[in-house]
Amino acid sequence: MKGADRERTEAGFKVRTPVDEARRILRDAIENGGATGGNGAACPVGTETVDVERADGRVLATDVESSRNVPHYRRAAMDGYAVRAADTFGASDRSPEILRIADGTGADAAVEPGTAARVHTGSALPEEADAVVMIERVTELEAAGELEVEDAVAGGENVAPIGEDVEEGQPLYESGHRLRPSDLGLLRSAGYARVPVACRPTVGVVPTGEELVAGDPGPGEVIETNGLTVSRLVDRWGGRATYRDVVTDDSDSLRVAIQRDLTKDIVVTTGGSSVGERDLLPEVIDDLGEVLVHGVGLKPGHPVCLGIVKGTPVLALPGYPVACIVNAVQFLRPTVRWLEGTVPDPHPTTRAVLDRKIPSEPGSRTFARVRLEGRADERRTDEHSSDEGDEPLHRAIPTRASGSGVLSSVALADGWVVVDDEREGIPAGETVAVEHWEPNT
């Protein structure tokens, strides 16, 4: 063992960087160090123009305003008859006004004084009409070609004016807005067939470890799962993952794998990030570039390594599955967001009563996996409750207090409870927020 290797192995992680500070260091290095990614654009990554129907979940690269009025014509808001409002003055059930039914319907009809034209919801109004009488308030006298109007209407009544929905030039969305399906409909209505969006950050995902296999494992072998999980998370977070084959625990092989994926915007490795004899990635990253943080006050998963190589962020995640996932959520997810020019949204949460104590160490932020069951038996009114504390809550049952290698403890959980760095556990009976960290499609 080399002297540096022995020193690293014996030292362990005596100093662990707090999670928030580690994120700040990483973000500062990306923004100030000129991270460019594979497309050569300054951070955030470059932009592209895509069809509106393909823009769901994408981030707008510019401010957008409506290019036309919506609607762009006066339209009927009800089924009925388009009229001149003045012709209905004084109309009532007992004393209806008699109007002649004009030839044609909608905008094709001529509404002269004393006439009315049939219209349907959304129909363009005849130019001379300024109101619509609902179909329920008229009686058609077909034989005479006339209409009894039983309701007086005011000018503009039951009429959607030009620009009622959106006016031409009206601001719609700011740069950085993540588009939703309803946004796509509005953009299409406002005259957009294509929109400029941030490119999806590209991520090379490199699983490492000589014990990893893709098929049935033999003695001492483990099926590779971290790379698969992380690559699919990247896709859900808005990036584009390239899931690489397993790389063995060899410095030269690891060096080549990282250099190959410097064409990506982010490089992520799984495994080999700690301080053991086969944990070679921190030294490889430091040799190629700079290690920013090695060892974070986070449980499970403190042996994470964050670095920069030729302007590209390189994240070495721990090999234990739960630790890998926790670190991916805490560091990879924000990095994807920063590179596309946004910040991570808070995870949705569910308030619940903790079924039993969650232990933790002060100085480490603990992510305790829990499942949710039913409702609490009693209404909460204690000091831990919020203003809504008297509502019935779910029960949060820890699935496992420890074991960063037990993947099922995450996969079968509903979320996790975050124990802040300064707390020494959370007692049973306290109301907690369960974070649903895994995005849904």
Side-chain angles (χ1 to χ4, degrees):
M1 181 185 297
K2 295 181 180 179
D5 292 341
R6 183 179 297 109
E7 180 181 349
R8 180 192 66 201
T9 302
E10 293 175 353
F13 292 101
K14 293 181 178 179
V15 178
R16 300 178 185 179
T17 307
V19 175
D20 294 337
E21 183 180 349
R23 271 200 294 258
R24 179 190 59 76
I25 291 171
L26 178 61
R27 183 171 187 177
D28 287 348
I30 292 171
E31 294 182 346
N32 300 327
T36 60
N39 59 16
C43 176
V45 293
T47 65
E48 61 181 339
T49 301
V50 300
D51 294 339
V52 165
E53 58 263 31
R54 295 177 49 241
D56 183 30
R58 303 298 295 273
V59 174
L60 281 174
T62 62
D63 295 346
V64 173
E65 62 181 33
S66 180
S67 63
R68 62 188 177 205
N69 290 310
V70 182
H72 60 281
Y73 60 92
R74 293 185 310 138
R75 63 186 181 190
M78 299 281 182
D79 289 348
Y81 280 85
V83 298
R84 297 174 182 249
D87 288 341
T88 69
F89 180 74
S92 66
D93 293 337
R94 294 186 176 183
S95 179
E97 289 291 327
I98 306 298
L99 301 179
R100 182 171 56 83
I101 299 175
D103 295 332
T105 60
D108 295 332
V111 178
E112 300 173 352
T115 64
R118 187 76 164 89
V119 291
H120 304 283
T121 302
S123 295
L125 256 64
E127 184 177 349
E128 304 86 353
D130 61 357
V132 173
V133 181
M134 292 189 297
I135 193 68
E136 297 89 344
R137 302 298 295 161
V138 302
T139 300
E140 298 174 350
L141 307 174
E142 294 185 9
E146 295 179 335
L147 192 73
E148 289 184 346
V149 178
E150 301 158 358
D151 190 22
V153 291
E157 190 167 343
N158 299 324
V159 174
I162 293 174
E164 178 192 46
D165 193 351
V166 178
E167 294 182 349
E168 183 179 357
Q170 177 182 328
L172 298 180
Y173 305 108
E174 295 182 350
S175 175
H177 174 73
R178 190 176 304 280
L179 293 169
R180 305 159 298 181
S182 58
D183 299 329
L184 307 187
L186 181 56
L187 287 170
R188 178 66 66 80
S189 297
Y192 288 90
R194 294 168 62 80
V195 287
V197 295
C199 293
R200 297 175 62 195
T202 55
V203 183
V205 181
V206 185
T208 75
E210 61 185 32
E211 75 283 5
L212 300 181
V213 295
D216 293 336
E221 294 181 333
V222 178
I223 294 178
E224 200 295 303
T225 61
N226 287 333
L228 172 63
T229 301
V230 170
S231 61
R232 297 294 80 82
L233 284 171
V234 166
D235 291 340
R236 289 194 175 195
W237 290 332
R240 287 195 296 119
T242 300
Y243 178 22
R244 299 296 191 181
D245 292 335
V246 174
V247 177
T248 191
D249 296 316
D250 172 76
S251 293
D252 291 337
S253 299
L254 294 171
R255 178 191 299 269
V256 169
I258 291 175
Q259 290 176 319
R260 171 194 59 196
D261 276 345
L262 292 179
T263 57
K264 308 294 185 184
D265 297 311
I266 307 168
V267 180
V268 179
T269 62
T270 64
S273 66
S274 191
V275 293
E277 292 184 30
R278 293 191 298 174
D279 293 300
L280 305 175
L281 276 163
E283 290 185 6
V284 171
I285 294 170
D286 204 42
D287 185 50
L288 292 172
E290 178 186 2
V291 169
L292 305 170
V293 174
H294 188 203
V296 174
L298 179 155
K299 185 177 181 181
H302 66 268
V304 61
C305 180
L306 311 175
I308 293 284
V309 176
K310 295 184 179 179
T312 300
V314 180
L315 283 61
L317 308 181
Y320 279 133
V322 181
C324 179
I325 291 172
V326 170
N327 276 285
V329 174
Q330 298 306 307
F331 298 108
L332 177 55
R333 178 176 180 259
T335 302
V336 171
R337 291 289 193 258
W338 297 333
L339 289 178
E340 70 177 1
T342 66
V343 295
D345 298 325
H347 299 294
T349 61
T350 296
R351 293 177 66 249
V353 176
L354 192 59
D355 190 70
R356 60 177 181 267
K357 178 182 178 179
I358 294 175
S360 68
E361 301 173 5
S364 287
R365 185 170 300 177
T366 298
F367 294 80
R369 294 136 272 169
V370 300
R371 72 176 190 273
L372 295 171
E373 284 194 1
R375 294 287 187 174
D377 294 333
E378 298 179 0
R379 293 175 180 271
R380 302 289 297 165
T381 57
D382 62 26
E383 62 181 353
H384 301 299
S385 302
S386 67
D387 292 339
E388 299 83 23
D390 61 348
E391 66 181 74
L393 302 176
H394 287 86
R395 293 166 54 221
I397 303 173
T399 60
R400 196 177 183 95
S402 62
S404 61
V406 183
L407 180 57
S408 62
S409 67
V410 166
L412 300 180
D414 293 303
W416 55 44
V417 174
V418 181
V419 186
D420 290 336
D421 309 46
E422 68 276 5
R423 295 199 65 177
E424 188 172 356
I426 301 178
E430 183 167 326
T431 299
V432 295
V434 178
E435 287 191 356
H436 304 288
W437 59 270
E438 195 164 20
N440 293 319
T441 54

